[in-house]
Amino acid sequence: MRVLIVDDSSATRSYVRAALEGESDVDVTEAASGFEALRVLPRERFDLMLVDINMPNINGLELISFIRQSETHRGTPLLIISTEAAERDRARALSLGANAYLAKPFTADELAQAVRGLLDVTRGLTREKST
Amino acid sequence: MTARPRRNKNRPSDAPPDLRAERETFVRTFLHKGVELTEDLLRENQGLEAEARRLRDENTRLRAQLASNDAIRELLTTVEALERERNSLLNRSDELENAARQTEARYRNVEQELNDLASLYVASFQLSNTLSVRRVLRHLCELLEQLIGAQSFAIYVLSIDGKRARLLSGRGKAADGVDELPVDDASFLDACLTGVPKIHELEERDAAAARAAPLAVLPLSFDGEVVGVITIHELLSHKRCWALVDRELFKLVCAHGAAALIAANLYEAEAGPRAALDGVVAHAAQVAQSLNPSEPGHPVVLATKRGQ
């Protein structure tokens, strides 16, 4: 499984990498900003994207909008990870096309659960569409 | 000779009728008695036959009962054995269930420890992978913000005499406060004196806020000497309690934060990593020789010899 983590905090990126790479067959690509993510996205495909909201220049919400308009990535499951846990932030991210929301700080177990739940849901939707 | 009186011409057959009747009566009676006896014997025989049949039946019934009792006894023995087996299986099942519960708890603990290790690994890696003061501070801030969930905090370093704490970095209101504080300030005096982190339970956060006291005071120590302090004043609103790993992270930050800052500060004066190592061989040799004056001083040789 290929995962893209977009977060300006290297601590979070390293933590997500450490937490997810414990799962089998997970390959994590890091982007330290929205710009970096925009450079990576046209070249690569991912099974899951984790995006922080608060980032300089291109913030997470702008990045989500871009991803959801992209022909290649519009169906990729998208998990928001943010220190902002207010309901309006959550609602805004979800309305822009994010699939789930995880407030920081989170444990590796919470992250793994969120990722599994998200992948299960999106796989179910894909199966429904194909049948 | 005297002639004997002539007997009656009547011979026995010529017995008087009453004797004949008597004989007939006797014979009849005899026969009657014989018939009666025979009938009695027959009846008795029939009774005995009936009794014998009854006894045979009884015997058969008793035999059947005995067989049935044996079967019941066998069944009861089997039932008892099965009962014992069932109890033993139930006990075994209980044991296995307990073992499963223990394994599950152990698994959860190991998983928790692994999760915690991920945080600690990241924190340790972040603090030790740079020698730039700016990056060390950035990493400290990120660890406090992203892994612990601190929203308002300040990082202070102590003056050489240890009496003043100067603000180095931070986030939120705590970093907008005064730039310098006396170390005898109540908010971090204890931590500075003891070198032990002071962490308030988050249930007390309202009380702490009312006193304007930090939720946590983390002394940054090196070589047993407190050289700085981190104060955490506010956490993200959704963080309700300290996690176990937070306390481990505090310990790690207290132990490694000071060393990372000192190393980065010293390194700032150097022209690069190789320049920073200039003279390290001579220095190590000098140290080795001071530890063992009889050996001519080459640190690598000495280290190898000691390791033998």
Side-chain angles (χ1 to χ4, degrees), chain A residues 70-90:
Chain A
S70 146
E71 195 65 41
T72 321
H73 301 290
R74 68 167 51 146
T76 308
L78 218 154
L79 174 65
I80 295 296
I81 46 172
S82 174
T83 51
E84 308 296 332
E87 194 48 48
R88 61 186 162 77
D89 300 309
R90 193 180 292 254

Side-chain angles (χ1 to χ4, degrees), chain B residues 36-65:
Chain B
E36 272 186 354
L37 189 63
T38 306
E39 281 176 352
D40 281 352
L41 282 171
L42 281 171
R43 266 197 301 277
E44 197 173 338
N45 190 36
Q46 278 172 352
L48 285 171
E49 273 183 6
E51 182 65 13
R53 263 199 310 277
R54 193 185 62 75
L55 286 171
R56 267 199 303 276
D57 291 349
E58 178 79 7
N59 192 22
T60 312
R61 194 179 60 76
L62 285 171
R63 275 174 191 278
Q65 193 173 351

Side-chain angles (χ1 to χ4, degrees), chain A residues 9-101:
Chain A
S9 155
S10 62
T12 302
R13 293 197 309 274
S14 304
Y15 183 62
V16 167
R17 180 184 282 280
L20 288 185
E21 285 190 339
E23 308 274 319
S24 57
D25 293 336
V26 175
D27 175 25
V28 178
T29 302
E30 295 181 23
S33 65
F35 277 128
E36 256 188 53
L38 291 179
R39 274 201 294 272
V40 171
L41 284 170
R43 289 186 274 119
E44 299 190 44
R45 278 174 170 270
F46 297 96
D47 301 298
L48 173 70
M49 293 184 208
L50 285 79
V51 179
D52 180 28
I53 297 276
N54 297 321
M55 290 187 291
N57 303 321
I58 297 178
N59 69 32
L61 297 174
E62 290 163 335
L63 186 62
I64 296 170
S65 300
F66 171 82
I67 290 167
R68 286 301 178 237
Q69 283 165 29
S70 146
E71 195 65 41
T72 321
H73 301 290
R74 68 167 51 146
T76 308
L78 218 154
L79 174 65
I80 295 296
I81 46 172
S82 174
T83 51
E84 308 296 332
E87 194 48 48
R88 61 186 162 77
D89 300 309
R90 193 180 292 254
R92 189 155 174 229
L94 295 176
S95 71
L96 283 170
N99 299 93
Y101 197 103

